[in-house]
Amino acid sequence: MFSKFRSAGIIAIALASTSALAQTNATDIGAANTALASICGTHPVLPACEVLHAVSCGTSSQHQSCNPIRLVLSACDDPVATADPTCAPWEAYTGAAVPLANLPTAKNASDLLRSICTEMPSMQGCQGDKACPAPDAATGISQCPVFTRYSDLCRDMPEMTQCKDWAAFCTNNDKLGAFCRSGKTYVSNGTATDTGSGHEGHDNGADHATQFSNTFLALMGTAATALLL
């Protein structure tokens, strides 16, 4: 649906240092926030919804990746939400905002997370209360904050081959603090090289994971209640 946004030229626009929020019509932003509330209430497993609820994307954030229009375009670009009627008006969107570059789909994030935990089940994010359940039989997606958990594992061991997608996301989205490591330089093979302490984005990882897990569980409860009504 939004494949036209994935060209190299569009990605270059997404990397521009100017704030997309400052260049976007306030009415569109309001509509995007309303759409996100509906979409994320129904599909909390979407990585775009995890970014929306991240510590780094507070209501006053000017980070380019926190632009609600970019987030709603990203959410609607995911197969999980393409049939959601809330996404229909955004198919015709012609403004300057574009989806987040290299944001994995919920299915891809779930697959990568499961691959890491299958290879290294002893990693902290693969066991105990941080472990995600087996993928849903119908969707193939674990019902947990898959992108957050996947990012946490990659922040711990960025050299894993499964972390190439994560590295690309961090490179092209200004190292969004809740998911990336701001003291790292990411390269195409999925490794990360120190450019500083390497812990600025990582120290709050546990707090971020806990906060988002609580938000995710609340959204899942809301979605389940809606289905019963």
Side-chain angles (χ1 to χ4, degrees):
M1 176 171 61
F2 294 108
S3 58
K4 64 181 180 179
F5 292 125
R6 297 188 180 280
S7 67
I10 292 298
I11 292 175
I13 294 173
L15 291 173
S17 59
T18 54
S19 171
L21 280 172
Q23 300 175 4
T24 308
N25 185 284
T27 301
D28 289 341
I29 291 176
N33 281 323
T34 300
L36 283 169
S38 174
I39 294 168
C40 293
T42 305
H43 313 287
V45 74
L46 289 168
C49 297
E50 297 187 46
V51 175
L52 172 68
H53 295 294
V55 174
S56 303
C57 285
T59 55
S60 62
S61 175
Q62 292 296 305
H63 195 289
Q64 61 172 334
S65 300
C66 298
N67 181 342
I69 296 180
R70 297 192 68 196
L71 290 176
V72 76
L73 293 175
S74 298
C76 291
D77 204 20
D78 193 304
V80 168
T82 50
D84 191 312
T86 307
C87 287
W90 296 96
E91 294 183 20
Y93 176 76
T94 58
V98 296
L100 303 187
N102 300 107
L103 180 69
T105 65
K107 178 66 163 59
N108 287 345
S110 184
D111 288 346
L112 290 165
L113 173 64
R114 187 166 179 80
S115 175
I116 291 172
C117 289
T118 297
E119 288 186 12
M120 288 173 282
S122 62
M123 288 190 72
Q124 185 176 2
C126 297
Q127 54 184 317
D129 58 0
K130 290 187 177 182
C132 283
D136 180 82
T139 65
I141 301 169
S142 293
Q143 296 301 301
C144 69
V146 289
F147 184 51
T148 299
R149 299 288 170 80
Y150 165 60
S151 296
D152 286 345
L153 292 173
C154 287
R155 292 198 302 181
D156 284 338
M157 294 187 67
E159 68 278 4
M160 294 185 292
T161 59
Q162 295 94 333
C163 293
K164 292 179 182 179
D165 289 358
W166 167 79
F169 170 82
C170 290
T171 297
N172 293 312
N173 292 284
D174 198 26
K175 303 174 185 176
L176 185 60
F179 302 95
C180 306
R181 297 185 67 176
S182 59
K184 298 286 184 179
T185 296
Y186 301 89
V187 294
S188 60
N189 67 354
T191 60
T193 303
D194 279 305
T195 58
S197 67
H199 297 290
E200 181 180 341
H202 186 70
D203 287 343
N204 68 353
D207 290 340
H208 165 63
T210 299
Q211 176 174 331
F212 184 78
S213 291
N214 291 338
T215 302
F216 180 85
L217 290 172
L219 288 171
M220 286 294 291
T222 300
T225 300
L227 290 173
L228 293 173
L229 294 177

